[in-house]
Amino acid sequence: MQNFTYTNLLTLVPQYAERTDDAFASQIPTLISLAENRLATDMKQQGFQAVVTGTLPTTSTMAKPSYWKETISLYYTDTSGNRLPIFLRPLEYVRNYWPNSSLTELPKFYADYNATHFLFGPTPSSPFAFELVYYARLQPLGATNDSNWMTLNAPQALLAAVMVEACRFIKNPARQATWEDMYQSSSGGLKQENSERQADRTTVFTRP
C-alpha cells in the first residue's frame, strides 16, 4: 500500500466513502484529526517517541512539551556529572513528600500536576540539565504538514482509522465495522513489531 499524505487522504476518503458532496468534504480534516488522536492513544511506537533536553526550573513546576502524551523517562545531571532518574509518583504522594515547595533539594520525584505541567518534589535546588523522553502526538497533518511518521510507516492503520470516523459520521455501521476490523489488524501488526523490537533491546547476544 502506498504511503499516504494529507493531500492523498483528502482525495481517497470521499472515494472510499462514496461521498463527494461538499458537506462531507468539509468534515474530512476533522475526521483525519480524530483518527490521528486515536492512533496517538493506541500506539506506543518509536515513531511517537520524542526527546527534549534543557535545564530544570528552580520552581516546583515545569511545563510539559507540546503534544506530550505520556512520559517514558526523566533524568537530570547533578553537579558531579552523575545522570540520575526522577521517578514518577502520584500527585498526592509528591505533595505529601515535599509539602513546602519553597524549600529546594535534589529532585527525586515528579507527578503529572495537570495536563500541561509537571510537579517536582523536592523543588530542584539548581537549574540541572535534564533529558525527558516521552510519547508525543505527532505534528498534526494539515495543509502545511503533508506527511508524518504515520503516513510513512502506518498508512494502512491511518487510512482505516480515518474511514472508521468517516463511516461513523455518515452513519454507516456495517462499513464502519469493516474498517474497524482493518484498523485492528493493521494496528495489531504494528504493536507486535514494536513488542519484538523492545524484546530485542533486552536480549543478550553471545558470539559463537
Side-chain angles (χ1 to χ4, degrees), residues 185-197:
S185 176
S186 55
S187 63
L190 290 167
K191 291 176 183 177
Q192 180 62 32
E193 288 179 7
N194 195 58
S195 296
E196 292 172 354
R197 185 180 297 113

Side-chain angles (χ1 to χ4, degrees), residues 9-208:
L9 287 170
L10 293 178
T11 301
L12 288 168
V13 172
Q15 294 175 352
Y16 279 112
E18 298 178 348
R19 285 282 300 269
T20 58
D21 54 284
D22 291 342
F24 178 73
S26 68
Q27 296 300 315
I28 295 176
T30 299
L31 303 177
I32 293 173
S33 181
L34 290 170
E36 289 183 282
N37 279 328
R38 180 180 184 183
L39 280 161
T41 299
D42 290 352
M43 310 296 293
K44 291 185 177 179
Q45 303 285 122
Q46 280 189 326
F48 288 88
Q49 292 180 13
V51 180
V52 64
T53 58
T55 55
L56 293 176
T58 52
T59 57
S60 61
T61 62
M62 181 176 77
K64 296 176 180 178
S66 299
Y67 304 119
W68 174 94
K69 293 285 290 184
E70 180 182 338
T71 299
I72 299 172
S73 64
L74 176 57
Y75 282 82
Y76 76 98
T77 303
D78 67 13
T79 55
S80 298
N82 300 308
R83 188 170 181 268
L84 302 171
I86 307 177
F87 297 103
L88 176 64
R89 293 291 185 270
L91 178 60
E92 294 77 11
Y93 181 97
V94 175
R95 285 192 180 280
N96 290 331
Y97 180 83
W98 203 256
N100 189 345
S101 62
S102 65
L103 300 178
T104 62
E105 184 54 81
L106 297 178
K108 293 182 180 180
F109 307 112
Y110 76 96
D112 291 319
Y113 183 55
N114 55 31
T116 57
H117 286 79
F118 298 116
L119 176 71
F120 293 110
T123 300
S125 55
S126 295
F128 301 110
F130 77 87
E131 177 190 80
L132 172 66
V133 184
Y134 61 102
Y135 289 110
R137 185 189 174 203
L138 303 180
Q139 180 71 26
L141 294 169
T144 59
N145 186 43
D146 206 39
S147 63
N148 59 21
W149 183 90
M150 287 184 288
T151 62
L152 297 172
N153 296 280
Q156 297 96 331
L158 176 59
L159 175 61
V162 176
M163 289 308 302
V164 168
E165 299 301 331
C167 292
R168 181 181 290 116
F169 176 76
I170 62 177
K171 297 178 174 59
N172 190 327
R175 295 185 66 183
Q176 180 181 335
T178 299
W179 284 106
E180 179 65 30
D181 287 343
M182 294 178 64
Y183 173 78
Q184 294 297 333
S185 176
S186 55
S187 63
L190 290 167
K191 291 176 183 177
Q192 180 62 32
E193 288 179 7
N194 195 58
S195 296
E196 292 172 354
R197 185 180 297 113
Q198 290 178 339
D200 288 345
R201 292 171 64 180
T202 60
T203 301
V204 177
F205 293 94
T206 303
R207 292 183 182 276

